Amino acid sequence: MPVRQRHAVVAGAGIGGLTAALALARRGWRVTVCERAGGPTAVGAGIVLAPNALRAFDAIGFDPAPEGPRPAGMAMGLRRPGGGWLDRADPAVLAARYGRTPLALHRSALTTALAAELPEGALRYGTAVTAVDEADGHAVVRTPAGDLTADAVIAADGIHSPLRRRRFPRHPGLHYSGETAWRTVLPAGTAPAGVAAAETWGRGQRFGTVPLADGGLYAYATAVAPEGYRPADVRTELLRRFGTWHHPVPALLERIDPARVLQHDLYDLAAPLPRLHDGRTAWIGDAAHAMTPNLGQGGCQAVEDAVVLAHLLAGPDVPAALAAYTRARLARTDAIRVRARRAGRVAAVGNPLAVAARDLAFRALPARVSLRALDDLFDGFRLPGRAA
């Protein structure tokens, strides 16, 4: 008698949701990805896949690097508004220590590559998951297009996760970090040549640049601002804040397309969830542990979540696998959430004396100490033993 193929419904077609769907499909599950948006979008920002995320992708046999020559190793650095360096990381040192260097991509390029690996018909746009109910040992997923029956549901429905709010109504929800962020991608050939991967820290504001594997440039900025602050003219606002900073910041601001600049206030979860599963539903990525981008680990932890969850769901007992997922992931992701919040507070200081002390501390920090601080992030991915 043939074994029934198990079915997983994934709510959300972001990086975490698509990775979970691909990982499960490669372990023999039938997958359905429900995405509320009407279709894919090229508007977005960049993502830096740290070595831990790349190792997780290796575990499911997925290579996120674009076709063609492998992109060069990416250095990283921290600068002052006048251009002086506070800290730099040599890509050769990173490669030797972690087995690879970070890989920077446009988010839409990564989601397109993940979606292309899914079975035909698995991805359904314009289909929001409105609720999940439990019945007779399975989950009933409610959508405007009709109900779906699933053995497991993966809630990858983002920072404002409706499924999280429904299942954990007493959770305090999101916490505003005090900062807003602007992000954009300049296509290949439109940015000045030779721009390094670096973040510049000023007084209560930051500007970052990341060269992408396809030749484009991801640029972003943050500033301490009231929640909901939206300037009428984006370019004027950014030039006012960053127009006197070191090269190439002013030149980049002159070349951005304001219509392609995204602005979002930065939030994280006010407190950890009591668990990352409930019934036959598991939460991953921002829906599970929204964190500020100060460590560059939000998307990386979503990838880790997805791969660990699929690994555990290879076992026969779905409830046991989901409980094992909480045990495997809750402590790590919450520790990174808290660490990202603390890092943001250090980066966002505005008092001149505090800024001077912060910058002096970074310049005095030995390189080996800076690297050790990355070890638990970049070397922290593990596949746990499967649930019985």
Side-chain angles (χ1 to χ4, degrees):
M1 185 174 180
V3 177
R4 182 182 68 86
Q5 186 180 31
R6 294 184 293 177
H7 181 214
V9 174
V10 180
I15 291 168
L18 291 171
T19 302
L22 178 58
L24 285 167
R26 290 185 171 179
R27 292 189 176 275
W29 283 67
R30 180 167 66 91
V31 294
T32 303
V33 182
C34 297
E35 167 55 47
R36 69 170 64 93
T41 175
V43 177
I47 182 171
V48 178
L49 295 174
N52 54 302
L54 296 173
R55 196 169 293 116
F57 277 134
D58 285 346
I60 62 170
F62 174 74
D63 184 357
E67 294 183 1
R70 301 289 297 189
M74 190 181 76
M76 299 183 294
L78 183 61
R79 305 182 76 172
R80 303 173 69 178
W85 290 92
L86 296 172
D87 189 28
R88 302 183 81 171
D90 186 331
V93 173
L94 292 176
R97 192 176 185 95
Y98 303 114
R100 65 199 70 199
T101 58
L103 173 67
L105 303 168
H106 197 297
R107 282 179 177 263
S108 67
L110 179 56
T111 54
T112 297
L114 286 165
E117 296 291 319
L118 292 178
E120 186 175 356
L123 180 51
R124 302 183 184 182
Y125 287 108
T127 306
V129 172
T130 58
V132 177
D133 298 319
E134 304 278 333
D136 300 326
H138 59 264
V140 179
V141 181
R142 313 293 184 183
T143 81
D147 295 345
L148 299 168
T149 300
D151 297 282
V153 177
I154 291 84
D157 52 344
I159 190 169
H160 299 288
S161 174
L163 295 180
R164 183 185 67 224
R165 293 198 301 266
R166 289 178 67 93
R167 290 293 184 94
F168 301 105
R170 295 185 180 181
H171 187 272
L174 298 177
H175 157 264
Y176 179 49
S177 70
E179 290 185 279
T180 193
W182 296 269
R183 300 177 296 163
T184 193
V185 171
L186 282 74
T190 62
V195 180
E199 190 167 279
T200 302
W201 288 7
R203 294 174 52 189
Q205 47 197 24
R206 292 173 278 171
F207 195 95
T209 52
V210 181
L212 301 181
D214 66 357
L217 184 75
Y218 172 36
Y220 61 91
T222 71
V224 174
E227 188 175 11
Y229 174 72
R230 296 294 182 272
D233 187 314
V234 171
R235 193 196 308 276
T236 298
E237 175 76 6
L238 294 177
L239 284 169
R240 178 180 71 82
R241 292 181 178 274
F242 305 104
T244 61
W245 286 25
H246 63 79
H247 176 79
V249 175
L252 290 174
L253 295 178
E254 292 291 351
R255 300 184 191 196
I256 63 171
D257 177 357
R260 298 184 67 83
V261 175
L262 305 176
Q263 183 181 356
H264 295 99
D265 292 342
L266 300 181
Y267 296 89
D268 62 6
L269 276 194
L273 292 179
R275 57 194 178 278
L276 300 184
H277 74 286
D278 189 60
R280 287 181 172 262
T281 302
W283 281 261
I284 69 173
D286 284 346
H289 42 69
M291 58 186 69
T292 54
N294 301 299
L295 300 178
Q297 280 289 313
C300 296
Q301 289 305 305
V303 171
E304 283 195 20
D305 287 345
V307 173
V308 167
L309 180 58
H311 171 77
L312 292 168
L313 283 169
D317 187 333
V318 169
L322 299 190
Y325 166 71
T326 285
R327 292 193 300 270
R329 298 297 298 160
L330 182 56
R332 173 166 168 78
T333 55
D334 193 57
I336 295 173
R337 176 190 68 86
V338 172
R339 183 173 164 184
R341 181 185 289 188
R342 291 172 178 167
R345 288 172 178 165
V346 172
V349 296
N351 179 279
L353 291 178
V355 169
R358 177 198 68 192
D359 292 357
L360 180 62
F362 270 97
R363 291 184 66 182
L365 195 67
R368 65 181 184 279
V369 176
S370 298
L371 282 172
R372 280 204 302 269
L374 297 175
D375 286 350
D376 63 332
L377 299 178
F378 289 2
D379 267 344
F381 169 71
R382 298 288 185 276
L383 286 178
R386 293 177 188 168

